Amino acid sequence: MKVKITVNGEVLNKHIPNDMMLLDFLRKYGIYSVKRGCDTSNCGLCTVWVEGSPVLSCSYPAARADGKNVTTLEGVQEEAQEFARFLVDEGAEQCGYCSPGLIMAVLAMGRELDHPTDEEVRQYLSGNLCRCTGYAGQMRAIRAWLDERAEKEVQACAM
């Protein structure tokens, strides 16, 4: 089957097997931030955005993305680097294997939820697994990032 998928602003017209998952499509065409962790939609490592909403690409058929915009970590590098700085500052990056999926989920959450509570953050990110940490560092990093964003909003409104 032929698909036309826009990945990080680049249009890809490709012939694919009918059963190809979006994760495999992305990796085949050089998007290596998207990682395989479980193939059961349980770990969040493969999180990407389709039309701006987070999806687990290991269980999302590539054919379903036909005609759609897909964003990966490569497509949000500036925002990702900004948030990654908070992960590093809080010692939350450890091995880094889960970081791409976590960052994509956090950035999506930041766009979707206004001033989320810690409980809302936990619920939003409940499908993102990290095998190295107890999530305390990630939560500190997320809270610090959210607090800085809120402070920037207040400063922008005051101008």
Side-chain angles (χ1 to χ4, degrees):
M1 104 178 300
K2 185 164 178 140
V3 294
K4 178 182 174 185
I5 302 172
T6 304
V7 180
N8 301 324
E10 180 184 348
V11 177
L12 300 176
N13 286 300
K14 303 293 180 183
H15 288 281
I16 63 167
N18 292 344
D19 61 349
M20 180 178 248
M21 291 297 145
L22 184 57
L23 167 69
D24 299 313
F25 177 87
L26 293 168
R27 290 192 61 85
K28 180 174 183 170
Y29 296 105
I31 308 296
Y32 298 120
S33 69
V34 184
K35 300 213 178 2
R36 182 178 311 283
C38 67
D39 280 333
T40 59
S41 301
N42 287 312
C43 73
L45 294 179
C46 65
T47 301
V48 300
W49 301 343
V50 175
E51 296 296 329
S53 296
V55 302
L56 300 171
S57 63
C58 74
S59 59
Y60 191 94
R64 194 168 163 201
D66 185 31
K68 296 183 179 174
N69 292 299
V70 175
T71 306
T72 69
L73 192 64
E74 290 85 350
V76 290
Q77 284 186 346
E78 190 173 310
E79 289 176 86
Q81 288 173 348
E82 180 185 332
F83 177 67
R85 178 175 51 89
F86 288 91
L87 287 173
V88 170
D89 288 348
E90 295 298 336
E93 80 288 352
Q94 301 250 336
C95 83
Y97 195 72
C98 68
S99 294
L102 175 74
I103 291 170
M104 292 301 291
V106 167
L107 295 179
M109 179 193 66
R111 291 169 184 225
E112 186 177 324
L113 303 179
D114 288 327
H115 310 290
T117 65
D118 286 351
E119 183 56 33
E120 289 173 316
V121 171
R122 281 190 211 57
Q123 286 179 335
Y124 198 95
L125 302 176
S126 64
N128 287 271
L129 300 181
C130 175
R131 291 172 177 96
C132 298
T133 71
Y135 300 100
Q138 282 101 334
M139 285 301 293
R140 286 192 309 269
I142 292 166
R143 180 52 46 207
W145 177 72
L146 289 168
D147 290 347
E148 183 175 286
R149 284 173 40 117
E151 186 177 311
K152 285 179 181 177
E153 285 176 24
V154 167
Q155 290 173 354
C157 289
M159 297 181 127

